[in-house]
Amino acid sequence: MSIGSWDPQASTSAEALALSAAILQRCIGYSRDEQLTSLPEHLDGDDSQVLAGLMKIDHAQWSKTCEELSDDEIIHLIRFFAVAENLPGWEAGADSPVIPLAKALRKRGQRLDKSLLLWLREVNVNRYLPYGPL
């Protein structure tokens, strides 16, 4: 268990990161390269704190960002954020980016398959995933 320091500017600086293709591709890469089980080893210190701010970005911002992503990239982001939310300081509840990401897929006519839904329940205890508060 690690204890970090809280930076009130982390979510503000993370909003600029959310639009960065490089940061999104990095998050996608953790899922694509099957590094989710060792995520704490890849995200440490200040890097983790800054990226944790991505969890609190407004859902409308995420929806806009999804317009430029493929279905596969969105699924990898869903996987990344579902696991990342277990890290200290990454808790998001109803603000989780998984919710607007899943909604973007539904708008495209894509549904999350049963295996992914079951996997989400296994790796995360956030009751709002993947569809948000009902």
Side-chain angles (χ1 to χ4, degrees):
M1 180 176 179
S2 64
I3 298 176
S5 60
W6 176 69
D7 179 2
Q9 298 301 319
S11 61
T12 305
S13 61
E15 190 164 327
L17 290 174
L19 301 177
S20 165
I23 294 297
L24 292 175
Q25 288 305 314
R26 182 174 159 201
C27 296
I28 290 166
Y30 291 128
S31 173
R32 186 174 285 142
D33 299 339
E34 298 297 330
Q35 296 176 330
L36 295 177
T37 56
S38 60
L39 202 53
E41 298 168 20
H42 300 287
L43 299 173
D44 60 345
D46 293 338
D47 186 39
S48 177
Q49 186 174 357
V50 170
L51 290 177
L54 294 172
M55 300 300 281
K56 297 295 185 176
I57 300 258
D58 183 70
H59 284 196
Q61 196 72 15
W62 277 111
S63 296
K64 184 175 179 177
T65 299
C66 286
E67 294 171 4
E68 301 172 13
L69 300 172
S70 71
D71 293 351
D72 187 52
E73 290 172 320
I74 293 173
I75 289 171
H76 282 296
L77 285 172
I78 288 171
R79 289 172 37 92
F80 169 80
F81 286 114
V83 173
E85 189 169 359
N86 297 320
L87 299 172
W90 287 68
E91 303 84 6
D95 294 328
S96 174
V98 171
I99 297 165
L101 292 167
K103 185 175 182 179
L105 284 177
R106 282 196 324 269
K107 281 186 176 180
R108 295 178 182 186
Q110 301 296 323
R111 299 185 68 87
L112 299 180
D113 64 29
K114 185 176 181 178
S115 63
L116 180 58
L117 291 171
L118 291 172
W119 180 84
L120 285 170
R121 294 286 178 222
E122 288 176 24
V123 301
N124 193 299
V125 295
N126 184 345
R127 64 185 177 155
Y128 296 112
L129 299 188
Y131 300 118
L134 300 175

